[in-house]
Amino acid sequence: MKRRMILVVMLMLALTLALTTGAQAATTVPIDLATLGADYTISDSRTYQVTGSSESHVIKVTNGKPTIILQNMRINSRDASPIHIEGGSTEVTLKLSGTNSLYTSGADMPALAVENGAKLTIANKDSKDAGRLSVYQDQYNPSSVSSGVIGGRTHGTITFKSGEINAQLLSGTANMMSVIGGGYDMNTGYTINLAGGNVTVSSPWIEEGDDPYWAAGIGSGPYVTTNINISGGTITAYSSGNSTNQGAAIGSGSGGNANINITGGIIENASSYDGAAIGSGSDGNATINISGGTVYYAQGFNGAGIGSGVRGHASIEIKNGFISYIFGINSACIGAGVDGNAVVTITGGHFDNLNSEYDDGMISKSIDGVIGRYNQDATAKVTIKGTKMKQYSPFSLKANEIVLDKALVPMLYRLDCDKLTLIGKNTIQKVSGFHTPTYSPIYLNTLNAGSSDYIVLEDYYGEFMPDDVVAEYPFTGSQLRKGSSFSYSSMELLYESGGVRVISNAAEAMLLVKGKLKGVYSVDNALNIINNDPSITNKTKPSQVVIKLLNHATISQPIKKPCTITGRGFNYTLSSVDGKLHVQNNLALNMLVVGNDEMDEILLEAPGVTLATKLVLVNGSIIETNVQPSATLSVNSRLDVNAVKVNTMKLNKAYFYLGMGILDIQKPIALSGTSRLSWDIDVNAGPILRTNSRTLTSGSGTLKLDEWSWNDVGLNYILAINSGTKLTSLGRAKLPSHWNKYKVAFGTDNATLVYKVGAVSLTKGKKTTGYATFDEALTAINGASGCTIKLNQPATTTATTLPPSLTIDGQEEEFDLDFENNISIPDQSLTLKNLESNSAVTITCGQLTLIGSYTSLSVNTKKMIISGYSSLNSLSVSHELKLNNKAFLYTDTSILNTAAANGTLKLALSGSSGTSMPWIGSDPIIPLIKTNGSAAKLQLTGSGKLFIENSYSAKEYYTLIENCNIVNGAAVMKQIKLGEGFEDYWLELTGNQLNARHYYTID
């Protein structure tokens, strides 16, 4: 019994001790830097909260796994790292709250040191607190500086999860230190994980003659290996320099190594001088794997955009992700830098805006973007596997060796290599060379291909010159194996043992019957063969007899047998001697045209087309002429035509564009699938449609009516009318959604009348009618409340007063509404939605609400509500200003409380809103908010945040709020955040003013 009692007592003591220990462990230890009498050392795993500022004493972490909350703190240190973390068993989590700053000018002293195997994770305190950390290294003794700004001279692991981190190297010349990562002379490099947050790094520009900058922006110092993993967040990295020993913006320092894995996140901007933007520094090595995320902007000068720096090496594998705006100046966009080497393997990914540029210091010449190598002294091997590479703008492949492995290569200017290896079927979608009219699509010395390996060369699109596609002998110096095969959609490339024979561009057409090439002829000779061939009958399918145009051609005889005439992908002209195309049987015009639809593309040059039976237009045909067949016109893709007169027209998923003439049909338009009928109002003031049918369409398909463009010359104009027609129904023709501004009516003459409406008046949500002008709609409301006027075109009003509780809606077009006079409705409410106005007038009202509006009005109101972007000449609010989520306010003057001297201005916030400091050319800059009485109050309400931006020259401090008795000042400081232009400022509440103060004085 006694033994049991002792055991119970011991258990109770143990439990009490555990609870006590747990309570102590859960306690947050405060560190007030303002009262810190010496350096503070942490060697346990408790939670610490650091506030205040210090000019001398620092924080050291030597052991444990502590969590350190940085809350509106600042440390400026000259001789030591403001925060120093070291030790292989030390793991520190920095949680950011508010605005924090670390600054050092000590040699070999990182502003945030992570050394000797320590691990550091940086994140926000919580999801509601958008924490910020600025870290600066200013080298007063640059010759000995060789450590990172965040990092050090040894090694460690740095992980970014959330928060806004700005790391800068402010000055220095012999900069052997990365901004985030390691420095010089390290045995083991850093591991850097970018998993979230906004991370920005920058370093100074090095003038000519200064010592080199050797290290990366994010990565390693010279001669060190770094591991970089990017899976989230937004990253901006600048590695500035002007030497031949530059580090990468993201990657290795000069002579160093970098292993870079990109699986997510956004690299918003990366640029370097002689190192790659992403990859190796000069003389360095990089292994780069991209399987996700976005690389939005990467520029290398002498180094590649993505790849190797000067004399460096890079192994690059791209499987997925979005890669856009990649620049290589004197270097490849993706691949090798000057005198460098690269191995590039692409199995997927989305690419856009690749651009290489030559710069000799005096002139820059932009050329097509290059994957591989830029100059002959560099070396590269490029492999493209599969069909998952997506390219949205033209580029070139240039390398010593290129391997195409069952690949689709889209949007290619040119393939240029010493050796081309083919595996299986490969497709190159070639873009016409814009720079040189005779640009050969493929230039190589050796082709390595088996009997079953080949390329299909397709035109992607052509612009400017119709004959700039292929030189007569595009494979200069090629040694082709017997049995190797290439095919080209518009030109046959025939191979013989020992070389190449290419069909000349000067020939007019190739004739193929049932897939076999019969020869190259003029179009008339090809037609003679067709018309006199007994094996070709009137029942033969047109697709089995094909004339491929190789040049402009003229026909002097009728087409008696079914056939297809196909273009090469360019706007070649097919004309007739007598101006008519005589067709006695089925003809399919299969002219492929891809390019700018606004070009003057004339493919069928004739005033009329006479048909005995049927004309079928397929695969993007564009014909700008008068087409008047007497039988059936079938359109299976696109047809541009000035005028058409047919008995029957069939549209099968087609786009039918009518130019300056009339569509005249006897029977309803037969529809299959969804087709479009489009026309141009700018050149069509009269009728566009004439028919002898009561119904416009027939069939199960849908016809979308859609004018291609229109103007606002008149309020009423006729779109589709012809007196005497029997049209009473549109059938399955659909009006486009933006025609809610039009009226459609069938008149007494059975014509279709369409005219434009100026404004639609709504009273308490119920539509009354449409009016030609805004003032007509305003008169119709006649003082009623709860009304809306929707604009369907730009308007001007002469009104000086408006009905109570009126909404003026510009709809999705954001039509202009200009006021000619001041508006005075002091006790009424007005809502402006989706409007643009440039009126220099004043609106005086009880409440003004701006929704998605940009306006240049002056406003004098008791209550103001803003949702969206608004720009005001001036704003005077006496009672309440409410900014809804994502609202942004710009005004040239202060927001002024014009109430009595003891009045109160409420600033109500919802979500995250923003405003910009006003400016009217004054110095000092006027405050954002001020009152007209010393006893007036500013009261902040709501749970949102206000971000204040500043786009003017730096000053030591700004006055944000002046002459206001601020209610609940601490809450004001928490909810007002400093945004763009205030990166180096912090808030300070002094008396009846709220100021933004600079961290340190700028000379």
Side-chain angles (χ1 to χ4, degrees):
M1 185 69 174
K2 187 180 297 184
R3 188 173 300 174
R4 187 177 300 172
M5 289 287 293
I6 294 173
L7 181 60
V8 170
V9 171
M10 292 177 65
L11 287 172
M12 291 179 65
L13 288 172
L15 179 60
T16 302
L17 181 61
L19 290 173
T20 303
T21 304
Q24 290 177 346
T27 301
T28 299
V29 180
I31 303 175
D32 187 352
L33 296 172
T35 60
L36 201 63
D39 295 347
Y40 195 98
T41 301
I42 298 172
S43 59
D44 53 39
S45 300
R46 290 187 293 174
T47 298
Y48 295 82
Q49 179 168 294
V50 184
T51 58
S53 61
S54 170
E55 301 296 331
S56 58
H57 301 301
V58 301
I59 297 174
K60 299 179 180 179
V61 185
T62 59
N63 202 356
K65 299 179 180 180
T67 296
I68 304 175
I69 301 171
L70 305 184
Q71 184 164 349
N72 294 317
M73 55 77 66
R74 176 173 59 93
I75 300 178
N76 287 357
S77 174
R78 180 179 178 87
D79 298 319
S81 297
I83 296 180
H84 189 108
I85 304 167
E86 66 177 4
S89 61
T90 303
E91 298 181 17
V92 174
T93 300
L94 284 187
K95 292 191 174 182
L96 307 179
S97 175
T99 301
N100 303 276
S101 172
L102 303 175
Y103 171 84
T104 183
S105 57
D108 284 343
M109 296 298 176
L112 177 52
V114 184
E115 297 191 313
N116 297 320
K119 296 180 180 179
L120 169 65
T121 299
I122 301 178
N124 279 337
K125 180 183 177 183
D126 51 55
S127 59
K128 297 180 181 179
D129 196 338
R132 181 186 186 124
L133 175 63
S134 297
V135 186
Y136 307 100
Q137 164 67 273
D138 196 355
Q139 303 174 32
Y140 73 89
N141 187 12
S143 62
S144 62
V145 174
S146 56
S147 62
V149 177
I150 301 178
R153 289 194 60 172
T154 54
H155 69 282
T157 300
I158 304 169
T159 301
F160 299 92
K161 286 190 174 181
S162 61
E164 190 164 341
I165 297 92
N166 177 25
Q168 295 184 39
L169 178 61
L170 298 178
S171 63
T173 52
N175 305 313
M176 296 176 286
M177 57 185 293
S178 58
V179 181
I180 297 179
Y184 176 67
D185 194 22
M186 297 171 56
N187 295 322
T188 305
Y190 277 78
T191 295
I192 303 170
N193 303 311
L194 296 142
N198 295 323
V199 180
T200 301
V201 303
S202 61
S203 52
W205 181 258
I206 308 302
E207 299 295 336
E208 291 285 357
D210 286 344
D211 292 328
Y213 184 101
W214 285 358
I218 299 177
S220 72
Y223 313 114
V224 182
T225 298
T226 300
N227 298 315
I228 302 173
N229 303 302
I230 301 174
S231 60
T234 302
I235 302 137
T236 299
Y238 303 97
S239 181
S240 303
N242 194 1
S243 67
T244 57
N245 294 304
Q246 177 73 14
I250 301 175
S252 79
S254 178
N257 303 312
N259 300 311
I260 305 170
N261 293 293
I262 302 174
T263 59
I266 301 173
I267 298 175
E268 199 167 68
N269 197 326
S271 60
S272 182
Y273 190 81
D274 277 344
I278 302 172
S280 80
S282 57
D283 299 294
N285 297 281
T287 300
I288 307 166
N289 293 293
I290 303 176
S291 59
T294 298
V295 181
Y296 177 73
Y297 183 99
Q299 174 174 291
F301 193 109
N302 295 334
I306 300 174
S308 71
V310 174
R311 301 178 304 275
H313 170 79
S315 177
I316 308 160
E317 183 171 3
I318 302 175
K319 298 178 181 177
N320 206 341
F322 290 84
I323 301 170
S324 181
Y325 287 96
I326 311 300
F327 301 93
I329 300 177
N330 299 333
S331 61
C333 298
I334 302 174
V338 172
D339 300 329
N341 172 261
V343 176
V344 183
T345 302
I346 298 175
T347 59
H350 298 69
F351 301 81
D352 192 14
N353 288 297
L354 308 181
N355 185 270
S356 297
E357 193 172 281
Y358 171 70
D359 192 331
D360 64 358
M362 298 178 64
I363 185 171
S364 294
K365 180 182 179 183
S366 179
I367 67 166
D368 48 288
V370 173
I371 295 179
R373 67 178 187 181
Y374 179 84
N375 61 349
Q376 295 301 317
D377 293 330
T379 58
K381 177 180 179 180
V382 177
T383 300
I384 299 180
K385 295 182 179 181
T387 60
K388 293 184 178 180
M389 179 184 183
K390 305 297 181 184
Q391 181 72 31
Y392 303 116
S393 61
F395 76 109
S396 291
L397 289 174
K398 296 183 180 181
N400 301 75
E401 181 178 358
I402 296 174
V403 178
L404 301 182
D405 186 352
K406 304 179 186 65
L408 169 65
V409 183
M411 298 289 282
L412 186 71
Y413 274 132
R414 197 182 199 202
L415 185 151
D416 185 342
C417 63
D418 298 326
K419 179 181 179 181
L420 175 64
T421 298
L422 303 179
I423 302 174
K425 175 187 175 180
N426 298 275
T427 300
I428 294 178
Q429 294 178 333
K430 185 201 171 292
V431 177
S432 299
F434 296 170
H435 308 293
T436 307
T438 58
Y439 228 176
S440 301
I442 299 178
Y443 183 94
L444 65 145
N445 291 324
T446 304
L447 174 69
N448 181 21
S451 59
S452 61
D453 305 326
Y454 64 102
I455 288 179
V456 177
L457 190 60
E458 298 177 350
D459 279 307
Y460 196 87
Y461 63 80
E463 289 188 18
F464 304 134
M465 297 185 66
D467 297 320
D468 65 357
V469 187
V470 183
E472 187 168 349
Y473 298 99
F475 301 98
T476 304
S478 300
Q479 298 175 0
L480 300 176
R481 288 185 174 184
K482 185 177 181 179
S484 301
S485 64
F486 283 66
S487 64
Y488 188 35
S489 61
S490 61
M491 180 180 293
E492 293 296 308
L493 308 180
L494 306 179
Y495 295 88
E496 297 176 347
S497 178
V500 174
R501 179 170 63 87
V502 181
I503 294 176
S504 171
N505 285 6
E508 281 189 348
M510 297 184 298
L511 174 60
L512 294 93
V513 179
K514 296 181 179 180
K516 294 184 179 179
L517 179 67
K518 302 213 67 166
V520 181
Y521 313 96
S522 67
V523 172
D524 275 343
N525 287 339
L527 286 172
N528 273 328
I529 295 173
I530 294 171
N531 292 334
N532 295 309
D533 188 339
S535 67
I536 302 174
T537 68
N538 292 340
K539 295 183 179 180
T540 303
K541 293 181 179 180
S543 60
Q544 292 184 319
V545 183
V546 180
I547 296 176
K548 288 187 176 182
L549 293 181
L550 299 177
N551 218 317
H552 305 285
T554 301
I555 296 176
S556 62
Q557 60 177 299
I559 303 172
K560 299 179 180 179
K561 299 286 183 71
C563 67
T564 293
I565 301 178
T566 177
R568 302 184 37 195
F570 299 95
N571 49 332
Y572 285 156
T573 299
L574 176 62
S575 58
S576 175
V577 171
D578 62 358
K580 295 183 179 180
L581 186 63
H582 301 273
V583 181
Q584 297 180 0
N585 268 290
N586 293 352
L587 169 67
L589 288 177
N590 187 24
M591 300 184 179
L592 300 175
V593 174
V594 184
N596 187 344
D597 293 339
E598 297 179 0
M599 291 175 60
D600 185 19
E601 294 165 326
I602 302 177
L603 300 182
L604 186 56
E605 191 176 56
V609 178
T610 302
L611 296 181
T613 53
K614 184 168 63 174
L615 173 64
V616 180
L617 297 130
V618 295
N619 295 341
S621 300
I622 297 181
I623 300 178
E624 295 201 2
T625 184
N626 293 316
V627 180
Q628 296 178 334
S630 59
T632 300
L633 173 63
S634 296
V635 183
N636 295 336
S637 57
R638 174 162 181 156
L639 173 63
D640 283 25
V641 61
N642 287 337
V644 174
K645 182 177 182 179
V646 292
N647 181 55
T648 303
M649 185 165 71
K650 296 181 179 180
L651 300 179
N652 177 24
K653 300 177 182 177
Y655 175 32
F656 188 91
Y657 175 76
L658 188 65
M660 300 177 66
I662 297 175
L663 172 59
D664 192 336
I665 54 177
Q666 300 295 311
K667 297 180 180 180
I669 301 172
L671 301 175
S672 177
T674 299
S675 299
R676 290 174 59 193
L677 171 58
S678 180
W679 65 94
D680 193 341
I681 294 302
D682 288 334
V683 295
N684 242 319
I688 67 161
L689 177 64
R690 181 181 291 118
T691 180
N692 288 325
S693 172
R694 292 179 62 86
T695 304
L696 180 61
T697 66
S698 66
S700 59
T702 300
L703 178 63
K704 293 184 176 181
L705 299 174
D706 188 8
E707 82 273 26
W708 186 76
S709 63
W710 54 276
N711 57 39
D712 298 307
V713 174
L715 297 175
N716 300 285
Y717 49 73
I718 297 170
L719 300 184
I721 183 173
N722 182 57
S723 60
T725 64
K726 299 178 181 179
L727 181 64
T728 58
S729 172
L730 296 177
R732 294 184 64 86
K734 305 294 183 181
L735 298 177
S737 59
H738 67 269
W739 273 21
N740 57 13
K741 64 177 73 69
Y742 295 99
K743 275 191 173 181
V744 180
F746 295 95
T748 56
D749 58 357
N750 294 326
T752 302
L753 178 66
V754 184
Y755 65 88
K756 194 172 184 182
V757 176
V760 177
S761 173
L762 302 174
T763 302
K764 295 183 178 179
K766 184 178 180 181
K767 179 179 177 182
T768 56
T769 185
Y771 300 92
T773 68
F774 174 83
D775 280 350
E776 287 180 5
L778 195 62
T779 302
I781 293 173
N782 197 21
S785 61
C787 297
T788 299
I789 296 179
K790 291 187 176 181
L791 296 184
N792 291 318
Q793 64 177 347
T796 301
T797 179
T798 58
T800 57
T801 61
L802 298 173
S805 60
L806 173 66
T807 296
I808 306 173
D809 187 355
Q811 304 190 78
E812 67 274 8
E813 286 90 351
E814 295 190 353
F815 285 117
D816 294 343
L817 175 62
D818 287 330
F819 299 93
E820 291 190 355
N821 300 302
N822 294 337
I823 300 294
S824 180
I825 45 174
D827 297 319
Q828 298 166 204
S829 64
L830 174 64
T831 299
L832 303 180
K833 183 178 181 181
N834 298 323
L835 286 177
E836 294 187 8
S837 177
N838 295 312
S839 303
V841 301
T842 299
I843 291 182
T844 302
C845 59
Q847 174 177 308
L848 180 62
T849 302
L850 298 180
I851 303 175
S853 299
Y854 178 95
T855 177
S856 295
L857 303 171
S858 296
V859 177
N860 182 11
T861 183
K862 295 178 182 178
K863 184 176 180 179
M864 182 85 170
I865 302 173
I866 298 177
S867 300
Y869 182 89
S870 293
S871 176
L872 302 173
N873 291 336
S874 65
L875 175 59
S876 181
V877 181
S878 61
H879 287 74
E880 181 176 354
L881 172 62
K882 184 175 182 180
L883 299 177
N884 289 331
N885 189 27
K886 297 183 180 178
F888 189 88
L889 170 64
Y890 178 85
T891 175
D892 285 344
T893 61
S894 296
I895 302 167
L896 180 65
N897 177 10
T898 58
N902 59 351
T904 298
L905 173 63
K906 291 183 179 180
L907 180 59
L909 301 177
S910 173
S912 296
S913 299
T915 185
S916 182
M917 291 293 291
W919 181 71
I920 55 173
S922 60
D923 191 8
I925 297 172
I926 62 178
L928 175 66
I929 301 175
K930 65 183 298 186
T931 70
N932 68 338
S934 59
K937 298 177 181 178
L938 172 68
Q939 180 179 355
L940 199 70
T941 64
S943 58
K945 294 181 176 63
L946 176 63
F947 290 86
I948 301 177
E949 295 185 357
N950 164 42
S951 58
Y952 312 109
S953 59
K955 294 178 179 293
E956 187 174 355
Y957 70 90
Y958 285 88
T959 298
L960 304 177
I961 301 173
E962 181 183 75
N963 198 28
C964 297
N965 290 292
I966 301 174
V967 178
N968 195 2
V972 169
M973 293 182 66
K974 287 182 179 179
Q975 289 175 263
I976 293 181
K977 307 294 180 181
L978 296 178
E980 183 178 350
F982 278 116
E983 287 82 359
D984 302 322
Y985 289 76
W986 57 288
L987 291 174
E988 180 179 87
L989 186 64
T990 305
N992 63 351
Q993 293 188 175
L994 182 65
N995 303 317
R997 289 192 175 275
H998 205 284
Y999 287 141
Y1000 48 87
T1001 302
I1002 295 179
D1003 295 332

